[in-house]
Amino acid sequence: MPPPEKTFYCIFLGPPGSGKGTQAKKIIDIHHVFHLSTGDLLREMAATGTELGKKVKGIMDKGELVSNDVMFAILEKKLLSPECKHGVIFDGFPRNIAQAQELDKMMTKLQKKLSCVIEFKVPDENLIGRITGRLIHEPSGRTYHIKNNPPKVPMKDDVTGEPLIQRPDDNVKVLEERLKVYHSQTKPLIEFYSNPAHKGLLKVVIASKPLDQVFKDVEDILKSLP
Ligand code: ADP
Ligand code: AMP
């Protein structure tokens, strides 16, 4: 694949179901940067069935956060790989202040700079319908919605025709825990990325708008990057 015209390292920050993964997949079709979804990487790890995989799955199924040590190892391995050389959309990372500080260190080590942090703003009450109607194609991480973004053939991936599944953590009870974790541990990152050391990085999109409108708003932000 040719290197992208524009290189950027951008964090998509928002609660579960706010549309980060959906928009990231649309953006990488255009910009060819790497979509680094820690949720997808952890689901791959869980599927291996190793001791660590089983432990990770147990944590994800409860809606809690996987330990920072495991996350730092995953991040380092990925960020150093050639696929991340021409830019990254960070989707689901960082999720707490320690992870954000680690990302700052890694970027400095790589002599790269964060280009932007896009907050996907959406009220909690919009998220139940999005999460309980979400369908995913596990091998690729492609995401659909039963009503808002249905696949062409019911329960089949548009690209491969393979079956779609519902994530085990996409239910009302686990969503409650995930939202609690978001508000207590991840939302403080909005303040973190507003501090003078990260001046000008934080942008906001209203993610309760229809999919195509959110896409346009994200694209406008990315286009405005130097
Ligand atoms: P996240 O990656 O932030 O957890 P997703 O991108 O997987 O969220 O989106 C969650 C669900 O909501 C998916 O089923 C997706 O199709 C749907 N969705 C995403 N963006 C919108 C939107 N703007 N309007 C309506 N539904 C949306
Ligand atoms: P996501 O696919 O982003 O909704 O993430 C699914 C689950 O994976 C979360 O509920 C957490 O259990 C775990 N997870 C994903 N990213 C991280 C992260 N950066 N730190 C800790 N746990 C994570």
Side-chain angles (χ1 to χ4, degrees):
M1 197 181 291
E5 284 166 30
K6 198 167 200 152
T7 297
F8 53 79
Y9 290 81
C10 187
I11 296 171
F12 284 7
L13 181 67
S18 56
K20 305 178 298 293
T22 304
Q23 298 300 338
K25 289 271 182 270
K26 285 162 82 75
I27 293 293
I28 60 166
D29 275 349
I30 300 174
H31 291 285
H32 312 300
V33 295
F34 186 71
H35 175 199
L36 200 166
S37 157
T38 44
D40 285 352
L41 293 172
L42 289 168
R43 276 182 285 279
E44 262 173 40
M45 196 182 256
T48 59
T50 58
E51 277 313 304
L52 180 60
K54 282 186 208 154
K55 208 170 142 198
V56 160
K57 181 166 167 38
I59 295 168
M60 293 172 85
D61 285 350
K62 282 192 276 180
E64 294 168 2
L65 291 188
V66 173
S67 76
N68 283 344
D69 287 351
V70 170
M71 296 317 300
F72 294 166
I74 290 178
L75 178 78
E76 176 157 31
K77 187 163 173 239
K78 260 299 157 198
L79 264 191
L80 293 177
S81 73
E83 23 187 29
C84 290
K85 215 168 66 184
H86 299 299
V88 173
I89 293 175
F90 296 97
D91 167 8
F93 191 99
R95 255 174 154 100
N96 57 35
I97 300 280
Q99 291 184 7
Q101 288 167 333
E102 183 68 16
L103 180 59
D104 276 351
K105 276 194 222 152
M106 290 281 312
M107 295 296 284
T108 306
K109 211 158 110 186
L110 290 169
Q111 298 182 302
K112 306 272 189 204
K113 270 200 157 77
L114 278 177
S115 319
C116 66
V117 177
I118 303 182
E119 182 198 350
F120 284 60
K121 216 181 176 73
V122 52
D124 283 3
E125 53 272 24
N126 288 22
L127 300 173
I128 298 172
R130 287 202 190 176
I131 288 290
T132 53
R134 171 158 65 183
L135 301 170
I136 65 161
H137 176 241
E138 235 181 348
S140 68
R142 264 186 296 280
T143 301
Y144 301 84
H145 190 277
I146 288 178
K147 282 196 214 128
N148 306 339
N149 184 22
K152 289 181 189 131
V153 178
M155 295 308 285
K156 298 254 194 288
D157 177 47
D158 286 354
V159 179
T160 62
E162 288 167 350
L164 302 178
I165 60 147
Q166 198 166 25
R167 278 170 45 175
D169 56 341
D170 276 353
N171 59 69
V172 178
K173 189 164 174 285
V174 180
L175 176 62
E176 240 171 61
E177 177 61 26
R178 289 156 73 195
L179 282 176
K180 245 192 249 164
V181 170
Y182 177 75
H183 286 290
S184 62
Q185 300 200 44
T186 311
K187 218 169 165 196
L189 292 176
I190 294 168
E191 186 71 34
F192 179 84
Y193 286 118
S194 309
N195 70 17
H198 300 99
K199 200 164 176 275
L201 279 188
L202 187 67
K203 317 279 177 195
V204 179
V205 295
I206 303 303
S208 47
K209 292 187 198 170
L211 264 162
D212 290 347
Q213 186 59 50
V214 179
F215 175 68
K216 193 180 163 301
D217 294 348
V218 172
E219 253 298 77
D220 284 347
I221 292 171
L222 297 176
K223 271 191 208 146
S224 74
L225 295 174

